[in-house]
Amino acid sequence: DKFKSILDRDDMMIVSVAYPQENVLFGDSIIQCEAALLWLKNKASQELGITVNKIFLGGHSQGGYVVTRLNTMHQTNGVIANAPGPINLVFRCQLEENGQIQSGAVCSRLENEYGTTSDNPNAYFQRSLLNFTSDFKSDILFVQGLNDSPIQMNLWPTFKQDVISCSTCQNRQFVEIPGGGHVSLFESLSAKTEFNNFINSH
């Protein structure tokens, strides 16, 4: 509904993917998300009786993580990621282990599977957004409010620089919203404009 509310055209259908988050390790639900994308690419026209001319991926927060990761796997007409994360699970889960922030299901499940971030940092990093900053198959627009959570803003410059430095990526565009929070894409007029300009130019 939030994406529909900022889209300035009515000739597009939004397909929402309800990927599992309960009782799965963070990142494993990429399988269901990829399946939905492949269905759109290969089956949707026939099964829905429509013509699919273009496919865009859009995601917010963990959804932003998913679409960024899918962009390393399959080509589409473009990708929009708002405040994608978690950027670095080593950093995030270490804060939880140290009692600096409240524990959550994502890090607890990873710890049950791999041990702590000190025991097995690579296992945490492999599932982090920072591990998916190359080989983008399609142009991508990142939107980030600069008044997002401290964890996000601590890691955002590193992620942004890694993406800028990518030599195996299609075009990357960054829209940063001064004073904007975690949902800047849906609240900032300039972000909404850039979102629609991106879609209309692809």
Side-chain angles (χ1 to χ4, degrees):
D1 287 346
K2 293 219 174 212
F3 276 99
K4 187 184 287 186
S5 73
I6 64 170
L7 189 62
D8 69 1
R9 48 196 296 169
D10 57 11
D11 62 344
M12 297 181 78
M13 178 175 66
I14 295 178
V15 177
S16 182
V17 180
Y19 51 86
Q21 298 182 69
E22 297 293 325
N23 304 315
V24 296
L25 289 178
F26 179 81
D28 283 357
S29 56
I30 193 71
I31 296 167
Q32 286 80 9
C33 299
E34 182 187 24
L37 174 57
L38 292 174
W39 174 79
L40 277 169
K41 291 183 84 137
N42 301 309
K43 301 281 189 182
S45 294
Q46 179 184 350
E47 292 188 12
L48 299 180
I50 60 174
T51 301
V52 179
N53 290 318
K54 294 181 179 181
I55 296 174
F56 291 89
L57 299 175
H60 162 66
S61 197
Q62 195 176 129
Y65 164 95
V66 168
V67 297
T68 301
R69 192 167 161 187
L70 282 174
N71 197 25
T72 69
M73 301 163 68
H74 299 283
Q75 187 173 16
T76 60
N77 293 96
V79 182
I80 301 102
N82 180 64
I87 294 175
N88 188 345
L89 285 161
V90 181
F91 179 82
R92 156 88 176 270
C93 295
Q94 204 166 57
L95 292 176
E96 293 190 17
E97 291 165 11
N98 295 338
Q100 292 173 266
I101 60 173
Q102 188 175 353
S103 295
V106 167
C107 293
S108 296
R109 287 197 195 100
L110 290 172
E111 185 172 351
N112 289 338
E113 183 76 16
Y114 299 119
T116 67
T117 55
S118 301
D119 296 332
N120 198 352
N122 191 50
Y124 286 78
F125 185 77
Q126 284 181 350
R127 293 172 180 269
S128 301
L129 188 63
L130 269 181
N131 192 40
F132 301 98
T133 58
S134 60
D135 299 322
F136 291 167
K137 312 285 187 207
S138 310
D139 293 353
I140 187 166
L141 168 67
F142 290 103
V143 178
Q144 178 63 60
L146 296 181
N147 198 30
D148 203 336
S149 71
I151 293 176
Q152 182 78 358
M153 296 321 300
N154 182 286
L155 299 165
W156 174 251
T158 302
F159 172 74
K160 181 182 175 184
Q161 189 53 55
D162 280 8
V163 171
I164 289 172
S165 301
C166 176
S167 60
T168 57
C169 294
Q170 295 300 312
N171 293 326
R172 290 86 70 207
Q173 181 182 347
F174 291 90
V175 174
E176 297 179 322
I177 308 299
H182 194 55
V183 291
S184 284
L185 174 59
F186 309 107
E187 295 181 344
S188 161
L189 181 59
S190 59
K192 293 178 196 176
T193 300
E194 293 293 348
F195 167 80
N196 284 291
N197 286 346
F198 179 84
I199 290 174
N200 293 330
S201 65
H202 288 74

